[in-house]
């Protein structure tokens, strides 16, 4: 029998704001409603964006809101050997190549895709030695990737056309998010991924890597991204305020409303979560990519 194992994977760029709380609540409720486990992973693979003390602040916030996790915390910055092993496996299958192109060169020669410039394959056939300064890219080939998201419905993406060969290890030596998240989910036995719809477009790339590495593909559920009055995603960059555990009941009620769930009839945070687990219905989550907070 399939055992549900979900996760919450915040980036330590600042304390939790309402948008990240919504993602945490959704993933926690989906796991608990199915009698599953809920793991926490700190996504600090991009060490250039990590804010000292932010991860510890996030963990304290989760505990204060009653979102208790199972098992040990995983830290991406401490898992580099796993990412390099996966990269070596892909290299052995000739699915990775060295790219020396700068961002400006790519922008000048590429078409516009779903997330900026589509890499035009300039270095694909050059056979550059790994000693050449540059990034490592995944060789994208084959048909479009299709999957069914539990909220957003059927998704089809032609990764070669819409993204191109994508980076697995950056020029600065840091492993890319797409590789790290795939390796982490497989290593920790994640069966269900519940996260913001800003990552919906990344999912086909992750499925391609899962297939290339022989990994299982989790079930996906992408919730709407919470936005501010200007339509911008709530984030540190858009000055989203940190959530205060002293107002946990109000924040939890607002998160449930955002997710389309029944209004709490109790005011104690632990009881709110208890009732929310019993009434959790993912089909009530609005089928939108973004919504105002």
């Amino acid at each position: 029998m399939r055992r549900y194992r979900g996760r919450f994977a915040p980036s330590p760029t600042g304390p939790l704001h309402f948008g990240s709380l919504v993602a945490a609540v959704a993933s926690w409720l989906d796991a608990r409603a199915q009698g599953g486990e809920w793991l926490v992973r700190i996504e600090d693979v991009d060490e250039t964006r990590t804010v000292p003390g932010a991860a510890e602040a996030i963990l304290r916030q989760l505990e204060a809101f009653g979102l208790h996790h199972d098992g040990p915390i995983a830290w991406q910055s401490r898992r580099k050997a796993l990412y390099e092993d996966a990269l070596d496996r892909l290299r052995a299958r000739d699915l990775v190549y060295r790219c020396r192109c700068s961002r400006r060169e790519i922008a000048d020669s590429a078409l516009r895709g779903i997330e900026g410039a589509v890499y035009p394959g300039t270095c694909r056939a050059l056979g550059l030695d790994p000693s050449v300064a540059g990034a490592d890219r995944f060789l994208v080939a084959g048909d479009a990737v299709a999957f069914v998201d539990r909220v957003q419905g059927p998704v089809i993406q032609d990764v070669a056309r819409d993204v191109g060969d994508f980076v697995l290890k950056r020029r600065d030596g840091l492993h890319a998010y797409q590789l790290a998240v795939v390796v982490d989910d497989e290593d920790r036995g994640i069966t269900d991924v519940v996260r913001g719809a800003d990552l919906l477009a990344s999912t086909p790339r992750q499925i391609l890597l899962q297939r290339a590495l022989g990994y299982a593909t989790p079930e996906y559920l992408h919730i709407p991204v919470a936005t501010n009055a200007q339509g911008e995603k709530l984030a540190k960059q858009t000055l989203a305020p940190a959530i205060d555990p002293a107002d946990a009941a109000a924040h939890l009620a607002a998160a449930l409303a955002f997710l389309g769930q029944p209004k709490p009839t109790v005011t104690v945070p632990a009881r709110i979560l208890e009732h929310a687990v019993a009434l959790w219905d993912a089909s009530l989550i609005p089928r939108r990519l973004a919504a105002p907070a």
Side-chain angles (χ1 to χ4, degrees), residues 157-215:
Q157 185 186 110
D158 186 332
V159 180
R161 181 195 66 199
D162 296 338
V163 178
D165 298 341
F166 53 93
V167 172
L168 298 182
K169 191 174 185 180
R170 299 174 2 180
R171 181 182 290 267
D172 60 7
L174 295 177
H175 296 94
Y177 165 79
Q178 305 295 355
L179 177 66
V181 70
V182 165
V183 172
D184 288 336
D185 284 345
E186 170 70 14
D187 180 65
R188 304 202 82 191
I190 300 301
T191 62
D192 291 77
V193 173
V194 177
R195 60 189 181 186
D198 54 322
L199 293 169
L200 186 64
S202 288
T203 306
R205 275 169 277 175
Q206 293 167 18
I207 292 175
L208 283 180
L209 288 175
Q210 290 158 2
R211 293 172 179 172
L213 289 164
Y215 294 168

